[in-house]
Amino acid sequence: PAAVSWYDEFQRLYDTIPCVEVQALKEHSDQVLHLSFSHSGWLFASCSKDCTVKIWSNELDISLQHSSNMRPYNWSYTQFSQFNSDDSLLLVSGVFVGPHNSSSGEIAVISMENFTLLSRVRNKPYDVFGCWLNETNLISGNLHRIGRVTSCSVLWLNNAFQGIESENVNVVKRLFKIQNLNASTIRTVMVADCSRYDSPDLLLDYEEQLAASSTSTCPVFDLGSDSEEGEAKPKQTAEPAGQELPDDGDAAAEDGLQQLFDDIMEGCVRAAMTESELEARVAELFIRNRTKPPEPVLPTDSSSKIKYLIFTTGCLTYSPHQIGIKRILPHQMTTAGPVLGEERRSDEFFDSLDHVIDIHGHIIGMGLSPDHRYLYVNSRAWPRDCVISDPMQPPPIAEEIDLHVFDLKTMKEVKRALRAHRAYTPNEECFFIFLDVSRDFVA
């Protein structure tokens, strides 16, 4: 994208793509799951199924600086890490085995000054992963079951330093409370800082972007097809779908909810409605009538202090098929002050999402461009006209992995999706694949 001529592009591809292995690091004793680099580039951290997080010095000859074994804390493995913005702290996310072999997650914060463990925070489900909101506060998740396929995700803001100076200092604050439908949950949280959008290091031209967003189809460019069938075929653009409900007024929803409850109490609910259908209907009515309305997602020029919380979610099945976006306002970025629940009316149980992008497929990876302007998403598509009747039976997923790019300024998909990798893991075993984005490359 940054090239100005074919010759420049050839030079870039020839000279700057990493293609020579210079060192093999064999200190981990099991599968390595994730690598993260410090913002300065001088350090990186690795997570592994051997249940350690290792911190390395990234010099000409890479050397191991520190290794933390998390097994004493009942962790099964470490799975993700992230440096805070000034590289003074490292967030490490892991999976631990709780009572009755229940699998949950935890986030640990390690100081880079002396490699001490500063705090540990519960994180459920474990593939929320967690992320930094600013230098000293991190976001974690918790999950509460409401019914068989309905649950509630609570996102928490935690202070990295959990030592209590006084009884009046909050070290944790509830940030958002979101109802999940049809066995879906919030996972893979990340934060985009809107103030970074207009740095000169933009990956794509904005005017070109606007022109692209006005067209209705979006070609897929196949980078590694094994057959002629994989030639670039146009496909429908995934239209970002706001979580807007039919405009039949609060009163109608209230009446519908009341009528349904009355019918249940009097045993008048028609026999054709299964327990799951009934649960889904009640959950939808709650979302319609007991949820704080979404904040409008405005152009971010005037409100550069806002950040977006971005995560995978869904509304039809447990496999993550939507990207949820929720604005974090300046007063919410600290554990000080009132807890979040006080911002909602007493009859508003949940917070709504400000924007939803439907991918129509299983999302298996997400990453932000360095300027936080573009969101890169790996997915495996569902069949075009599939119907999901049972949330526990998601549609089969394609072998091809599509890479979508969304402009967070316009909330539109950019003009082309890329396709290079193939995957053969079936639906229920499909897992997250991390991707990383630099100015010139996506890995």
Side-chain angles (χ1 to χ4, degrees):
V4 290
S5 70
W6 283 107
Y7 182 65
D8 279 2
E9 177 67 356
F10 173 75
Q11 268 189 316
R12 179 178 79 95
L13 292 173
Y14 193 83
D15 293 339
T16 61
I17 286 186
C19 56
V20 178
E21 181 186 297
V22 292
Q23 204 172 338
L25 310 174
K26 300 184 178 179
E27 278 82 348
H28 280 294
S29 60
D30 205 335
Q31 185 178 346
V32 176
L33 299 176
H34 185 249
L35 279 184
S36 65
F37 280 83
S38 65
H39 294 81
S40 69
W42 291 115
L43 296 171
F44 66 92
S46 57
C47 293
S48 165
K49 285 192 174 175
D50 68 11
C51 208
T52 66
V53 55
K54 296 188 190 297
I55 297 158
W56 310 79
S57 172
N58 187 32
E59 291 165 18
L60 198 57
D61 195 34
I62 292 169
S63 57
L64 182 63
Q65 297 291 296
H66 176 76
S67 180
S68 287
N69 179 16
M70 300 304 290
R71 268 199 216 287
Y73 305 102
N74 283 346
W75 284 29
S76 318
Y77 56 88
T78 58
Q79 60 171 359
F80 173 81
S81 65
Q82 188 182 54
F83 288 84
N84 69 345
S85 54
D86 64 4
D87 295 336
S88 61
L89 302 172
L90 180 70
L91 169 160
V92 182
S93 168
V95 178
F96 76 92
V97 180
H100 314 299
N101 287 333
S102 63
S103 194
S104 190
E106 202 167 73
I107 295 168
V109 178
I110 295 174
S111 162
M112 287 294 98
E113 188 182 353
N114 50 15
F115 302 120
T116 52
L117 182 64
L118 297 177
S119 58
R120 283 159 48 215
V121 170
R122 191 60 58 88
N123 187 43
K124 186 178 178 181
Y126 55 79
D127 52 2
V128 170
F129 294 128
C131 64
W132 291 106
L133 175 63
N134 49 37
E135 286 87 349
T136 56
N137 290 300
L138 57 132
I139 292 170
S140 65
N142 204 352
L143 186 68
H144 303 278
R145 293 271 164 223
I146 297 175
R148 192 180 77 87
V149 293
T150 310
S151 64
C152 162
S153 286
V154 180
L155 295 166
W156 293 90
L157 187 62
N158 307 271
N159 196 324
F161 306 94
Q162 296 279 334
I164 313 274
E165 291 96 30
S166 82
E167 291 177 10
N168 302 323
V169 177
N170 294 337
V171 293
V172 64
K173 182 166 86 172
R174 193 171 69 192
L175 196 57
F176 301 119
K177 184 178 179 183
I178 292 161
Q179 187 176 8
N180 303 314
L181 296 174
N182 290 319
S184 65
T185 62
I186 285 176
R187 311 174 189 189
T188 328
V189 295
M190 57 176 62
V191 169
D193 184 348
C194 305
S195 66
R196 291 168 64 170
Y197 285 179
D198 294 312
S199 69
D201 202 19
L202 284 185
L203 292 183
L204 293 164
D205 184 66
Y206 187 51
E207 303 303 321
E208 200 180 284
Q209 171 61 41
L210 284 176
S213 66
S214 61
T215 58
S216 61
T217 58
C218 158
V220 175
F221 289 84
D222 204 316
L223 301 185
S225 174
D226 298 331
S227 69
E228 293 177 14
E229 291 174 54
E231 294 299 314
K233 299 186 184 106
K235 74 166 192 179
Q236 293 303 309
T237 309
E239 267 304 308
Q243 201 180 38
E244 289 165 14
L245 293 152
D247 188 17
D248 49 7
D250 285 347
E254 183 75 62
D255 293 347
L257 188 60
Q258 192 60 52
Q259 183 64 52
L260 184 62
F261 281 136
D262 292 346
D263 288 349
I264 292 167
M265 297 309 289
E266 292 164 21
C268 306
V269 176
R270 67 184 196 281
M273 195 181 266
T274 66
E275 198 174 317
S276 293
E277 287 170 338
L278 182 61
E279 185 184 314
R281 179 87 180 105
V282 171
E284 282 164 18
L285 284 165
F286 259 92
I287 279 187
R288 183 177 304 193
N289 200 53
R290 290 283 187 261
T291 298
K292 189 179 178 212
E295 305 274 349
V297 178
L298 303 166
T300 47
D301 300 328
S302 58
S303 49
S304 61
K305 287 192 170 62
I306 289 174
K307 296 183 180 183
Y308 285 141
L309 185 64
I310 299 169
F311 44 83
T312 63
T313 180
C315 64
L316 302 172
T317 174
Y318 68 82
S319 79
H321 57 96
Q322 291 179 324
I323 295 161
I325 296 175
K326 184 74 185 160
R327 290 202 307 172
I328 306 175
L329 301 170
H331 73 275
Q332 296 171 324
M333 295 184 196
T334 169
T335 54
V339 294
L340 175 110
E342 292 165 24
E343 296 179 3
R344 296 191 299 259
R345 297 201 316 261
S346 59
D347 60 342
E348 293 174 337
F349 299 160
F350 304 107
D351 298 287
S352 53
L353 306 186
D354 295 330
H355 193 74
V356 177
I357 298 170
D358 204 309
I359 299 295
H360 194 74
H362 190 122
I363 298 168
I364 57 170
M366 291 201 302
L368 286 165
S369 61
D371 57 10
H372 287 205
R373 169 76 181 272
Y374 297 95
L375 177 68
Y376 287 69
V377 179
N378 271 339
S379 73
R380 292 171 62 185
W382 288 339
R384 188 182 289 272
D385 299 315
C386 63
V387 176
I388 301 172
S389 52
D390 179 358
M392 305 316 287
Q393 297 288 325
I397 46 179
E399 289 178 353
E400 294 81 15
I401 298 178
D402 294 330
L403 177 62
H404 307 270
V405 189
F406 295 94
D407 184 345
L408 295 176
K409 198 163 185 174
T410 62
M411 295 296 169
K412 294 278 200 303
E413 185 169 5
V414 307
K415 64 182 174 184
R416 61 181 193 168
L418 299 167
R419 180 179 288 166
H421 288 287
R422 295 174 81 88
Y424 305 99
T425 319
N427 236 340
E428 64 280 0
E429 296 167 26
C430 189
F431 55 90
F432 201 78
I433 299 171
F434 293 97
L435 64 151
D436 212 347
V437 187
S438 73
R439 184 171 182 270
D440 291 314
F441 300 112
V442 180

